[in-house]
Amino acid sequence: SQTIHQWPATLVQPVGSPLSLECTVEGTSNPNLYWYRQAAGRGLQLLFYSVGIGQISSEVPQNLSASRPQDRQFILSSKKLLLSDSGFYLCAAASGESWDQPQHFGDGTRLSIL
Amino acid sequence: RKEVEQDPGPFNVPEGATVAFNCTYSNSASQSFFWYRQDCRKEPKLLMSVYSSGNEDGRFTAQLNRASQYISLLIRDSKLSDSATYLCVVIAGSYIPTFGRGTSLIVHP
């Protein structure tokens, strides 16, 4: 079964600082990978997804970027954080064998911008 | 119309009650359906897949109605530990699942 590792669990950053969140996946090859953000009391907002190394699709224009340097590594970055970037960031993985597989989530990173 | 809609609730039920949630979807090409559970300040966790013939896992039963384009989740004999937000997820022929906003369930003693 898949295991999704995310770190850190919580992060407090000042406005204008950079960000790097890392997600690694075990137990599957060629997974489809996803970054979501969830604001307090709200639904999941898909930020980026990737179906392979170096392949990134962005769902929402913003000051965030994503990279997939290795098959089972997905990184979310920002050069300058905004107050509106606060939220609960979740990495998810799904088997790449077919498009209809369920996602499994990491524990998430709770990001607070001051 | 939103692609996937859920009644946000909260559904407030006593222990032992039976409760059902519906989730409607707008894309008739939708092929895969799932229910997730999300506890407060935690990640969503896969509860069960929803098959065309319906499926059951202990106290939980999921059903799909393609004609009316909705899926349902039935919880029997509710426990305090069932309190959570239940998310429905629909996939329609792409790698991008569509999540509902979730239905909140509160089970009280």
Side-chain angles (χ1 to χ4, degrees), chain A residues 43-67:
Chain A
L44 292 170
Q45 179 187 33
L46 179 63
L47 302 175
F48 300 94
Y49 70 95
S50 170
V51 299
I53 296 174
Q55 300 180 57
I56 308 293
S57 296
S58 173
E59 288 295 299
V60 182
Q62 55 209 325
N63 69 320
L64 299 172
S65 62
S67 62

Side-chain angles (χ1 to χ4, degrees), chain A residues 32 34 36 38 41-44 46 49 51 59 88 90 96 98-107 110, chain B residues 29 31-32 34 36 38 40-46 49 87 89 91-97 99-101:
Chain A
N32 297 324
Y34 307 79
Y36 290 89
Q38 188 174 35
R42 306 292 295 274
L44 292 170
L46 179 63
Y49 70 95
V51 299
E59 288 295 299
F88 188 37
L90 290 156
S98 61
W99 53 263
D100 60 351
Q101 297 300 300
Q103 295 177 325
H104 297 273
F105 288 82
D107 291 344
R110 199 160 297 279
Chain B
Q31 294 290 332
S32 295
F34 307 95
Y36 282 72
Q38 186 174 25
C40 187
R41 299 177 67 82
K42 295 286 190 178
E43 78 280 14
K45 292 185 178 178
L46 179 65
S49 302
L87 307 171
V89 180
I91 305 180
S94 77
Y95 293 107
I96 306 175
F99 281 77
R101 293 280 299 273

